[in-house]
Amino acid sequence: MNSLSSNSPVLQTGSGSAPASSMPPGEENIDLGRMLGMLVDNKWKIVFITLLFGVGGAIYSLLATPIYQGDALVQVEKTGPRTGADEVAAMLLQEEPITGAQIEILQSRLIVGQAANQQNLDISVTPVVFPVIGNALIRYDITRPDFAQGRPEIWGGESIFVESLSVAPELVNKSLTLEIMEGGYRILGPEGEELLFGRAGERSESNNPWLEIYVSEIQAPAGAQFSLRKRSQQATIDYLRSRFVVAQKGERDTGVLQLVLTGPDINEVESSLNAITEVYLAQNIARQAAEAENSLQFLDEQLPNVREQLVEAENRLNAYRMEQESVDLTEETRNMLTGMVDIESRLNDLEMQESELSRRFTPNHPVYAALLEKRAQLERERANLEQRTSNLPETQQQILRMTRDVEVTQQIYVQLLNRMQELNIAKAATVGNVRIIDFAMTRSSPIKPKSALIVIICLLVGCLLAVSWILLRGFLSKGVENAEQLEDIGLPVYATVPRSADQMKLVKRIKYRNNKTSQHAIGSFLAKLYPTDMAVEAIRGLRTSLHFAMMDARNNAIMITGPSPGIGKSFVTINLAFVCAQAGQRVLVIDADMRKGNMHFTFNDKSENGLSEVLSGKLAAEKAIRRSDVPGMHYMTRGVAPPNPSELLMRHSFAEMIGEVGKNYDLVLIDTPPILAVTDASIIGKVAGTSLLVARFGVNPVREVKVAARRLANTGVHVQGCILNAIEKTAAISYGYGYYSYSYK
């Protein structure tokens, strides 16, 4: 608002506002300036809501249960060749994948289940806490106050330790309640029934249903409660596995795995993660030793058979030599014997390798196929030697075959003994191909909740919601915001009355007044108490405009109505009567709202003996007119609320009364009910010479004002003009439509 300092009274323009930009009716273009103005007008609401969300986020961060994270590092080494099959595989570059398989092993039920059992994770002990607050009282070590004595919620410093818990199958995964009692504790079942009574440091048992529990320590007062649950094996594994993650360190197959475990208990996280790594290491060692164990078992089964075959071969050879009187082998036969023994030895070695490969590969595997090809080649060499031995004398052939059987069997027996010694040594020295690089370590600071991030997000969400709510409310509220909107629908605007802060105080005083010392009937008039208020100046401008509006009127009665209640019709009527009386006119104000009229409160008067009594013939009009302390200003209350106000107004007595009182007054102002609520205004408008509509800034939509004028027009009542009441100078109007208001002081 622009001000020019002077000592002259305030001067308000007739229309009150002129737009910087006008939007034609029905156009739905978005006015960015108006949007910015709405945000400026509600900046403190936005700040308050934003801070409220920020405080909510901070409170949530303080109350939320912190989650800690522990991590460990293990390395899976690539094992070197140990058997002939491994040598062949290494030569053919057939390397087994390491990381993927080990990750699956680490997350298997075998590893996770054993670790969970070691940590007794199948026993869940949860304190009973307050809703919303959660376990914050325990974490911040807030001791139990006196008023909380005997309550079940757990406070700081209170705990129990359950060493073991065993239940019947029907109680597995069911929630039990442990309640501390004087001298011990009791266990309540899922339905609240008492199952057993026990004491700390003693093993307690019940038979129906079966339950056994050992509570080693209790540090809680009587009445405190804890929730117990015996998890099933699968539920225990799922509980630990849901918090456990294994990932490879590095981009390539490095063999280094990072084990991560999260949870609310920092000690449980670290101990459980160490248990997983130890179980994994022990399982790997056992797996490596299992291969040697299986081979030893196979050799133990074969060794007696080979020893028996060796003895039989030696006996046959000795018996044949004695029968043939010690036949010796020629040099050529000895050479052939050496070749055949060597081939048989190599074939036997390939058979042992094949027995190992058959447990790992199929015959189509390249390693397996290479071994079969090598064995086929040796068999062809053996067949060639056997073909050559067929040319020897029969005695030499027999001695050759028997000697070959003895030496081959002897070599096989020696190989088996050597292999068994190697496997025994390997089994005793097995360390596995897994080593722990970093044992579990848990960070002292939780990973969740991230307090700073939560507060920032809450602030952003709060600001976004506040801005969205304000903009949505502004766009959904289609109330009149400038005079041009009314003029666009054909209603001249005679005055724009600014919203008065002093008038709002007076309204509260009228509603809740209890001041018995005030003896002035006009004590609540804005125009009386604050004659220089801008709203009063605007009504003075209306007084001037009415002089021209009533030039062709058939009488001096003016009806003031509006589309809806609570828009200031009575305010405009009373203050207009006051300023007209100040100008030397004789003015009569009639409260024609016989339903809910409250004009008598303004005059500190009662409603009885008013308009309803006059229209019903119970009281003469001159006796219903009352004098105020303002010279020339009189008023008539609504009277006792009748059951048929519309029917009373339709009587000829109303028109006759208006004609009679109009002769004694220069101006008769009639305050009516809202036109869209009841038909009283249409009936009164037929009698009054001038009809004016009051629309409230930001409350009455343009369409509503248009409907009200159309309804009056349908009954033959012509609306001369409109009054825009309670207009405010807001940033939304200044940036959007534009607002021009001047004071001259």
Side-chain angles (χ1 to χ4, degrees):
M1 180 176 67
N2 299 325
S3 295
L4 298 176
S5 297
S6 180
N7 295 324
S8 300
V10 177
L11 179 62
Q12 174 75 24
T13 60
S15 60
S17 61
S21 61
S22 181
M23 186 181 295
E27 187 174 349
E28 300 296 336
N29 293 336
I30 297 177
D31 193 333
L32 296 180
R34 181 169 177 266
M35 293 172 58
L36 177 61
M38 285 190 290
L39 298 180
V40 173
D41 290 334
N42 296 274
K43 57 182 178 295
W44 295 117
K45 291 182 181 178
I46 296 175
V47 172
F48 174 76
I49 295 175
T50 301
L51 292 179
L52 186 64
F53 271 75
V55 171
I59 294 175
Y60 170 79
S61 300
L62 293 175
L63 296 180
T65 302
I67 302 298
Y68 298 92
Q69 176 177 297
D71 59 77
L73 279 182
V74 299
Q75 181 185 15
V76 183
E77 299 174 337
K78 297 180 180 180
T79 56
R82 298 185 305 272
T83 65
D86 294 327
E87 293 179 358
V88 176
M91 289 188 295
L92 296 178
L93 300 179
Q94 298 292 332
E95 299 180 354
E96 299 179 355
I98 297 178
T99 305
Q102 297 304 318
I103 289 176
E104 295 299 327
I105 293 174
L106 274 165
Q107 294 177 329
S108 65
R109 289 193 296 268
L110 173 66
I111 304 299
V112 177
Q114 291 184 27
N117 291 334
Q118 288 183 12
Q119 296 301 116
N120 290 331
L121 296 182
D122 57 334
I123 303 175
S124 171
V125 182
T126 307
V128 174
V129 296
F130 288 99
V132 180
I133 298 178
N135 59 1
L137 299 176
I138 303 173
R139 288 187 287 108
Y140 294 115
D141 199 20
I142 301 176
T143 58
R144 182 184 293 267
D146 294 337
F147 70 85
Q149 296 297 329
R151 290 195 55 84
E153 293 81 16
I154 305 302
W155 291 71
E158 300 175 358
S159 63
I160 62 171
F161 188 76
V162 180
E163 290 275 357
S164 63
L165 174 65
S166 301
V167 299
E170 60 268 21
L171 293 180
V172 173
N173 291 327
K174 296 292 182 64
S175 178
L176 307 176
T177 301
L178 188 150
E179 182 179 0
I180 308 300
M181 307 289 290
E182 292 293 340
Y185 62 90
R186 65 172 181 170
I187 303 296
L188 304 178
E191 304 299 329
E193 70 279 10
E194 183 173 342
L195 301 181
L196 65 81
F197 180 86
R199 301 181 185 277
E202 298 179 1
R203 191 174 301 276
S204 302
E205 182 178 351
S206 68
N207 294 323
N208 191 21
W210 183 77
L211 186 148
E212 184 183 86
I213 185 172
Y214 177 58
V215 180
S216 61
E217 183 180 358
I218 296 179
Q219 293 182 354
Q225 293 183 358
F226 295 83
S227 177
L228 297 181
R229 185 186 299 271
K230 177 68 174 182
R231 297 189 179 101
S232 64
Q233 181 68 16
Q234 186 60 47
T236 306
I237 294 173
D238 292 341
Y239 169 70
L240 182 57
R241 190 156 54 183
S242 64
R243 303 182 287 124
F244 181 52
V245 177
V246 183
Q248 177 183 256
K249 294 285 287 185
E251 297 181 357
R252 305 183 65 180
D253 191 8
T254 58
V256 178
L257 304 178
Q258 183 180 37
L259 284 60
V260 177
L261 184 66
T262 58
D265 189 341
I266 188 170
N267 295 322
E268 183 271 330
V269 168
E270 186 168 329
S271 60
S272 296
L273 193 56
N274 277 328
I276 291 175
T277 56
E278 291 170 1
V279 169
Y280 175 58
L281 179 62
Q283 182 273 338
N284 181 264
I285 294 175
R287 177 70 184 90
Q288 299 295 333
E291 295 184 3
E293 182 68 28
N294 292 335
S295 299
L296 281 172
Q297 183 178 358
F298 173 76
L299 294 178
D300 283 338
E301 295 175 355
Q302 298 297 322
L303 193 61
N305 297 331
V306 175
R307 186 187 302 112
E308 184 178 349
Q309 292 175 6
L310 177 60
V311 172
E312 292 179 356
E314 289 177 345
N315 291 336
R316 286 197 304 271
L317 177 61
N318 293 332
Y320 187 78
R321 285 181 178 275
M322 292 177 64
E323 181 182 348
Q324 298 296 329
E325 296 179 355
S326 183
V327 178
D328 294 328
L329 297 176
T330 63
E331 186 67 24
E332 180 183 2
T333 305
R334 289 185 176 278
N335 292 335
M336 295 176 63
L337 175 63
T338 302
M340 294 179 69
V341 170
D342 179 64
I343 292 175
E344 290 291 345
S345 176
R346 291 163 65 186
L347 283 173
N348 183 70
D349 186 51
L350 288 179
E351 287 180 1
M352 294 179 64
Q353 294 182 26
E354 183 180 0
S355 65
E356 295 179 1
L357 285 177
S358 62
R359 297 195 300 267
R360 300 167 60 186
F361 306 112
T362 63
N364 295 328
H365 193 275
V367 176
Y368 206 139
L371 185 143
L372 295 178
E373 177 63 28
K374 189 174 183 180
R375 189 181 68 176
Q377 180 181 356
L378 291 176
E379 288 176 349
R380 288 194 296 271
E381 292 180 4
R382 184 178 61 180
N384 185 29
L385 286 176
E386 289 178 350
Q387 179 68 27
R388 290 171 58 189
T389 59
S390 61
N391 298 325
L392 295 175
E394 179 64 24
T395 303
Q396 292 292 321
Q397 291 184 26
Q398 196 67 21
I399 290 294
L400 176 62
R401 282 194 290 269
M402 291 183 178
T403 305
R404 180 196 64 184
D405 292 341
V406 170
E407 292 187 4
V408 169
T409 306
Q410 187 175 13
Q411 285 193 4
I412 293 174
Y413 184 72
V414 172
Q415 287 178 353
L416 289 178
L417 290 176
N418 292 337
R419 182 60 179 163
M420 288 184 67
Q421 291 179 357
E422 292 175 0
L423 290 175
N424 283 320
I425 295 173
K427 179 182 177 181
T430 299
V431 295
N433 64 329
V434 171
R435 68 187 182 102
I436 301 175
I437 300 176
D438 291 333
F439 285 92
M441 184 180 69
T442 306
R443 299 179 179 87
S444 59
S445 58
I447 60 170
K448 292 189 300 185
K450 298 183 181 297
S451 301
L453 181 61
I454 289 176
V455 172
I456 292 174
I457 292 176
C458 287
L459 289 172
L460 294 176
V461 171
C463 181
L464 179 62
L465 290 178
V467 170
S468 302
W469 172 65
I470 289 170
L471 293 178
L472 182 62
R473 188 185 65 173
F475 285 122
L476 293 180
S477 176
K478 298 295 184 179
V480 179
E481 293 183 338
N482 70 335
E484 281 68 25
Q485 292 177 290
L486 297 173
E487 292 173 351
D488 287 340
I489 62 174
L491 284 178
V493 178
Y494 286 160
T496 55
V497 182
R499 187 168 184 248
S500 173
D502 294 324
Q503 174 62 20
M504 302 307 296
K505 297 177 184 178
L506 290 177
V507 170
K508 293 180 180 179
R509 187 186 306 172
I510 292 172
K511 290 182 177 180
Y512 307 105
R513 178 170 46 195
N514 194 21
N515 185 3
K516 304 298 184 180
T517 61
S518 178
Q519 300 297 327
H520 298 285
I522 197 71
S524 296
F525 274 83
L526 178 67
K528 176 69 174 179
L529 298 178
Y530 306 98
T532 60
D533 192 276
M534 291 185 64
V536 178
E537 290 297 333
I539 293 177
R540 289 193 179 98
L542 173 62
R543 178 188 63 187
T544 304
S545 301
L546 284 178
H547 175 72
F548 301 100
M550 298 178 62
M551 292 181 62
D552 297 330
R554 62 178 179 271
N555 56 36
N556 60 353
I558 301 176
M559 178 187 71
I560 298 179
T561 187
S564 59
I567 59 176
K569 302 185 302 298
S570 300
F571 164 76
V572 173
T573 303
I574 294 173
N575 286 278
L576 177 61
F578 179 83
V579 298
C580 289
Q582 275 191 324
Q585 295 178 300
R586 286 177 54 82
V587 183
L588 174 63
V589 181
I590 300 176
D591 188 358
D593 187 356
M594 292 182 286
R595 304 169 189 269
K596 296 183 178 181
N598 55 14
M599 187 183 295
H600 54 280
F601 290 119
T602 305
F603 292 100
N604 290 335
D605 205 347
K606 297 181 179 180
S607 64
E608 289 81 1
N609 298 323
L611 179 61
S612 63
E613 285 83 359
V614 173
L615 297 182
S616 61
K618 297 179 181 179
L619 187 67
E622 58 271 11
K623 292 186 178 297
I625 297 175
R626 306 174 193 183
R627 184 187 301 273
S628 70
D629 66 344
V630 179
M633 181 176 176
H634 298 77
Y635 65 95
M636 180 185 295
T637 63
R638 63 177 173 85
V640 177
N644 55 346
S646 298
E647 286 73 11
L648 289 178
L649 291 172
M650 294 179 66
R651 294 180 179 180
H652 292 291
S653 56
F654 176 66
E656 292 174 355
M657 184 200 71
I658 296 298
E660 291 177 4
V661 298
K663 297 176 183 178
N664 301 323
Y665 293 93
D666 299 318
L667 196 62
V668 178
L669 298 177
I670 307 173
D671 185 19
T672 71
I675 180 61
L676 296 183
V678 292
T679 61
D680 296 7
S682 300
I683 301 172
I684 298 172
K686 296 287 289 183
V687 177
T690 305
S691 298
L692 298 178
L693 270 175
V694 176
R696 190 176 182 90
F697 171 86
V699 175
N700 298 117
V702 177
R703 183 176 299 175
E704 189 176 83
V705 178
K706 187 176 181 180
V707 171
R710 184 186 301 131
R711 183 166 298 182
L712 289 171
N714 291 338
T715 58
V717 179
H718 174 66
V719 179
Q720 272 73 18
C722 192
I723 302 167
L724 184 55
N725 185 35
I727 190 169
E728 301 178 41
K729 181 179 183 293
T730 62
I733 304 302
S734 300
Y735 298 161
Y737 301 109
Y739 183 90
Y740 298 93
S741 179
Y742 302 94
S743 63
Y744 192 60
K745 300 181 180 179

